[in-house]
Amino acid sequence: MLIQKYGRKLDRAEATTLKILDVKQDMEKDRKIDEFEQLLKDFTEAWSCVKESLKTTVCLLENNILAIDKSYFRSSISDDTPISYLIPTYRDAGLCSYILLYFLLKKQNMFIEQYCYQRKLSAKSLPKVHVKDISSAHLISYHPDKDLLPMVLANCNYTFEVGQGTRIEYNFTNLERQLMDRFLFSKSIITGIAEERLSPAVRSQICAEIRMKPAADLWESLDKLDIAISFLKSVGSDPDSSLCDFITNTLKIDNPFSSPR
């Protein structure tokens, strides 16, 4: 939600001055405040739950070790927190959300693989999804009251014996099978968690070309790229063809990008 709304309009300096309270006001105008506040609550709870583990979590990227600076752990997330904390980047406050996502996605993979190992099952047959394509359906998540409690009650048998009172028995075998089917084997192994970035030479060339282009041309190219990504997710394409060919020949969009890069 934040990347869609601000990704193209915020530079790093602006992201450090824009506060969560400012975003709430913008979301109120867009009538998305309820969704934003729920997502913010989920992020805050996740951060609080694993914050201690994140202090020792590192991510290797291009032979560089990424880690959250200790100063970010000393402050709590509030309306005065810069929005940069919530937008994943490779440095500064953005590392908070980046490393948090990295940690949680790796934990899901490790949990599924470890369970399969303990039960002598094969994890190779499980579905896989790239990190850029994940949705809530791919992730292990549940609500204790809405998801787990009904499942427990469905596998609970009550019997009453005179002089002994009520006796409760649980069908743990069936309960385990249902838990596996619903919360494990219907989920996915996440791939592409550690992304390789462009080489410094390519990045420098792209930046040099971008500086020579009008902003309007860049926004237009990004809009065309969004359209192409949406179509690729839906219909797919020949993996050997270039993105530019797909946009030009399949989508019939002329001059898709302001730069050949």
Side-chain angles (χ1 to χ4, degrees), residues 59-108:
C59 175
L60 184 64
L61 184 68
E62 286 187 345
N63 296 322
N64 294 318
I65 297 177
L66 303 181
I68 303 174
D69 189 274
K70 296 297 186 288
S71 62
Y72 293 117
F73 294 108
R74 292 193 286 268
S75 58
S76 58
I77 298 175
S78 66
D79 284 349
D80 293 327
T81 300
I83 197 64
S84 56
Y85 277 71
L86 308 182
I87 300 179
T89 59
Y90 297 117
R91 65 180 185 179
D92 301 329
L95 266 177
C96 295
S97 53
Y98 182 87
I99 297 293
L100 174 62
L101 288 171
Y102 173 84
F103 176 85
L104 294 176
L105 295 178
K106 293 286 286 186
K107 281 296 181 183
Q108 167 157 323

Side-chain angles (χ1 to χ4, degrees), residues 62 196-206 261:
E62 286 187 345
E196 289 295 327
R197 301 170 70 182
L198 296 175
S199 67
V202 174
R203 289 204 305 269
S204 297
Q205 185 172 354
I206 291 175
R261 289 284 174 180

Side-chain angles (χ1 to χ4, degrees), residues 130-163:
H130 195 276
V131 65
K132 295 179 180 178
D133 300 320
I134 59 175
S135 66
S136 58
H138 299 113
L139 303 175
I140 299 175
S141 62
Y142 59 87
H143 190 283
D145 295 331
K146 296 179 180 179
D147 297 319
L148 293 185
L149 184 58
M151 195 175 295
V152 171
L153 294 176
N155 290 279
C156 175
N157 296 317
Y158 294 86
T159 58
F160 180 79
E161 297 182 10
V162 178

